[in-house]
Amino acid sequence: MNSLRCGHKTLDLGRPAIMGIVNVTPDSFSDGGHLFSNSQLNISKTLQLVENMLLWGADIIDIGGESTRPGAVEVAPQQELDRVIPVLEAVTTRFDALVSIDTSTSAVIAEAAGRGASMINDVRALTRDGAIEAAAESKLPVCLMHMQNQPKTMQLAPTYGDVLTEVLDFLLLRKKHCLEAGIDSSQIVLDPGFGFGKTLAHNLSLFNAIDRFADTGHPILVGVSRKSMIGELISLKNTDDRITGSVVMALMAAQRGAKILRVHDVRETRQAIDIWESTKF
Ligand code: 7PJ
């Protein structure tokens, strides 16, 4: 199980894969709005970012049209389609790249699958109406992420008995539903969901147990890039100051068994992973 079947393409997981984050939302927490001018998405700027990420060594590009930062409100399916599909088309027309779509919406899953998407990345683990069916129909790999509550309220009072057991049990239950819906086990990626309804202590308990997630036999995706847990650990308010911390945590996640690293800073993370890989013998 060292690769994922992404339609006609393959995502090799023999070494940790880097997923470059491309947010096409005007309000994401770290890079929100930087691809926008006059509240319009700047497609050429977006393609430039994607081109750079691919040059720097991204293995897959993650396009998202819904901000899920703490406090964010949900977007209507049509608005999400309008944001994501033109970018997906532009990217797949221009580059021979793997593209995952960060969405929870069945219409977006179905439309993206028909237009060359390579993977479905859902922070709601395919819990929305029709999402699991649309994902099964697509035959694409799916990433199931854990979140407690919804973005609007998730950071108000995250509460767990045993965070590791609860998150693992949730992901394994979602996996069961996926299998029942006809999704192949070898196409399921799991993600503890750092920062999604979790305090710093919860995040660290999960981070230090990445190997336990990897023991499920599924590839583990980790997204800590520029998140507030890094800011909290070393007192950095500004997300641009969190790059080194993000790279270090991505490397540590890989060393604990994570197979896909979802990052903003592809060049820096690639270097860290390549140095680690090339010192192994
Ligand atoms: C994650 C994500 C994550 C997965 C976001 C941000 C917030 N998808 N989408 N895992 N985070 N699978 O851009 O940091 O951690 S949105």
Side-chain angles (χ1 to χ4, degrees):
M1 193 251 348
N2 262 336
S3 62
L4 293 170
R5 281 175 286 109
C6 304
H8 300 300
K9 302 192 176 89
T10 301
L11 177 61
D12 175 25
L13 299 178
R15 60 168 193 170
I18 293 186
M19 171 183 272
I21 303 171
V22 176
N23 277 320
V24 295
T25 56
D27 58 345
S28 279
F29 84 103
S30 143
D31 51 357
H34 79 127
L35 298 173
F36 283 73
S37 17
N38 302 325
S39 39
Q40 283 289 100
L41 180 73
N42 184 328
I43 285 272
S44 67
K45 224 172 160 179
T46 307
L47 290 172
Q48 188 61 58
L49 174 65
V50 170
E51 182 171 11
N52 286 338
M53 285 181 162
L54 294 171
L55 278 172
W56 294 331
D59 301 288
I60 182 163
I61 301 294
D62 190 45
I63 299 176
E66 180 203 0
S67 172
T68 47
R69 70 176 157 69
V73 291
E74 293 182 5
V75 298
Q78 190 58 50
Q79 188 177 13
E80 206 189 327
L81 281 168
D82 292 345
R83 283 180 184 170
V84 167
I85 300 302
V87 181
L88 170 65
E89 293 222 295
V91 170
T92 52
T93 303
R94 178 91 165 259
F95 308 106
D96 183 29
L98 294 173
V99 177
S100 75
I101 301 296
D102 194 340
T103 188
S104 304
T105 310
S106 60
V108 177
I109 295 172
E111 192 70 22
R115 303 203 191 205
S118 294
M119 178 168 163
I120 307 301
N121 172 27
D122 185 3
V123 298
R124 294 182 183 80
L126 302 175
T127 53
R128 276 201 184 151
D129 276 356
I132 209 163
E133 292 80 7
E137 179 78 14
S138 78
K139 303 263 187 285
L140 295 174
V142 296
C143 177
L144 307 175
M145 196 198 81
H146 174 273
M147 164 160 51
Q148 187 177 79
N149 294 321
Q150 291 293 313
K152 198 167 176 1
T153 54
M154 66 189 179
Q155 287 309 107
L156 296 181
T159 311
Y160 297 85
D162 175 343
V163 67
L164 175 59
T165 309
E166 287 178 38
V167 172
L168 255 175
D169 285 355
F170 169 83
L171 292 176
L172 294 175
L173 182 63
R174 294 310 302 159
K175 168 192 169 175
K176 182 166 166 272
H177 288 300
C178 285
L179 297 181
E180 285 162 6
I183 296 174
D184 203 293
S185 184
S186 65
Q187 295 285 79
I188 297 175
V189 175
L190 303 179
D191 180 345
F194 293 99
F196 285 86
K198 287 151 191 115
T199 63
L200 177 60
H202 297 142
N203 286 319
L204 292 180
S205 296
L206 295 170
F207 193 83
N208 286 320
I210 289 173
D211 57 333
R212 296 279 304 278
F213 288 88
D215 285 346
T216 61
H218 292 277
I220 305 306
L221 188 153
V222 165
V224 290
S225 186
R226 301 193 191 181
K227 284 185 180 171
S228 56
M229 65 185 283
I230 289 166
E232 287 169 50
L233 281 171
I234 48 176
S235 300
L236 295 170
K237 279 214 160 52
N238 190 338
T239 54
D240 290 339
D241 293 334
R242 298 178 187 164
I243 297 174
T244 307
S246 300
V247 172
V248 169
M249 286 205 94
L251 176 62
M252 289 166 70
Q255 291 175 334
R256 287 158 160 76
K259 282 288 157 53
I260 306 177
L261 308 167
R262 184 179 178 278
V263 305
H264 298 88
D265 304 293
V266 170
R267 182 166 39 183
E268 294 80 356
T269 313
R270 179 87 272 160
Q271 284 185 14
I273 295 297
D274 286 355
I275 289 285
W276 176 48
E277 288 281 303
S278 52
T279 55
K280 287 183 192 167
F281 61 93

